[in-house]
Amino acid sequence: MNSANKGFSLIELLIASSVGLIAIGVVGSVFLSGYQAANKRSLELLLEQDVNDAFRLIKEDVLRAGYVSGGGNTLRLLLPNGVSKADNVVYVNTTEDCLAYTYQNEDGLQIYNSAFLKEINVDGKKINVLKYNSASAAISTDEICEISGASSLLYEKQIAVSKFKIEHKEISSASATSQLIKITLAAHLKNDDSVSTAKSIQIKTRNWQ
């Protein structure tokens, strides 16, 4: 028989099959790695977007702190005795990782807001979440950082807060005194600590009198 008419030998077929399987494995591994990297990046972007949205809400609120229509005295939270006013336009409680403030909205209604860290139990696991509360009923400084009905600023089913730190100081010039608030927020996915983000913002309060 002419050798030119012979087919592949069993050994050649096995070698070809092995090379093909290796090639498929390499391509599959590259594809899987790329998919996992893209998926992780998507989760990171979603987490960063949530944190940015939380910062945006807090910043917009803090810039309204103390505002009163008609140019009267700056609004401040009441202290526990219900008589004296808090020393700063934005009340900061570093022990409880909380900031709170009050202002009049566009309808002239006085609003009492707070943002604070709270430990909760989700699916049998304790995590820290960032809580936010807005109310029209008067709340003093001893109550505003312990609101049971507050909502979460970040999606607590998936996101845990590892750090919520508030620093503040008074800043003075020849014509005015104000308050500088620095907020640091770090968060990660509840089921994947490797997907995380940490950001800080500084806010100079307005409406100081």
Side-chain angles (χ1 to χ4, degrees):
M1 183 182 291
N2 193 326
S3 60
N5 295 324
K6 289 182 178 179
F8 291 109
S9 69
L10 180 58
I11 294 176
E12 290 173 329
L13 185 59
L14 289 174
I15 292 174
S17 299
S18 299
V19 171
L21 289 173
I22 292 172
I24 293 172
V26 170
V27 172
S29 177
V30 171
F31 174 80
L32 183 60
S33 296
Y35 172 79
Q36 290 174 337
N39 186 56
K40 182 176 180 180
R41 183 55 183 159
S42 296
L43 292 173
E44 289 173 344
L45 290 174
L46 288 173
L47 178 60
E48 289 180 8
Q49 184 62 52
D50 274 7
V51 170
N52 288 338
D53 288 345
F55 267 152
R56 187 181 302 111
L57 174 62
I58 292 173
K59 182 176 181 178
E60 290 175 354
D61 256 8
V62 168
L63 291 177
R64 295 188 186 101
Y67 172 77
V68 58
S69 60
N73 291 332
T74 300
L75 293 176
R76 289 178 173 83
L77 295 173
L78 294 177
L79 293 175
N81 58 23
V83 178
S84 301
K85 293 181 178 180
D87 295 334
N88 298 312
V89 172
V90 177
Y91 167 74
V92 176
N93 186 326
T94 55
T95 303
E96 297 183 9
D97 299 310
C98 169
L99 76 161
Y101 37 87
T102 181
Y103 58 82
Q104 281 188 357
N105 64 13
E106 60 274 11
D107 298 322
L109 181 66
Q110 189 168 352
I111 302 298
Y112 300 81
N113 290 357
S114 61
F116 55 94
L117 197 65
K118 189 174 182 64
E119 184 181 77
I120 66 169
N121 192 304
V122 178
D123 299 328
K125 182 179 180 181
K126 290 183 178 180
I127 64 169
N128 288 323
V129 295
L130 183 57
K131 291 289 188 177
Y132 174 82
N133 189 73
S134 182
S136 57
I139 309 174
S140 59
T141 56
D142 61 329
E143 301 171 311
I144 202 163
C145 295
E146 291 292 336
I147 306 294
S148 59
S151 58
S152 294
L153 270 180
L154 302 173
Y155 185 46
E156 64 186 42
K157 291 289 185 180
Q158 293 185 348
I159 299 174
V161 177
S162 51
K163 184 178 183 181
F164 182 60
K165 183 179 181 182
I166 309 159
E167 302 170 83
H168 69 119
K169 64 178 180 179
E170 292 186 5
I171 51 176
S172 300
S173 65
S175 58
T177 300
S178 188
Q179 187 179 3
L180 188 65
I181 309 290
K182 180 181 179 181
I183 305 171
T184 302
L185 174 59
H188 60 85
L189 292 186
K190 190 182 70 170
N191 297 322
D192 188 354
D193 292 353
S194 67
V195 180
S196 62
T197 187
K199 295 179 180 291
S200 296
I201 58 170
Q202 287 196 123
I203 313 167
K204 182 181 178 182
T205 58
R206 299 174 179 169
N207 310 312
W208 184 280
Q209 293 180 11

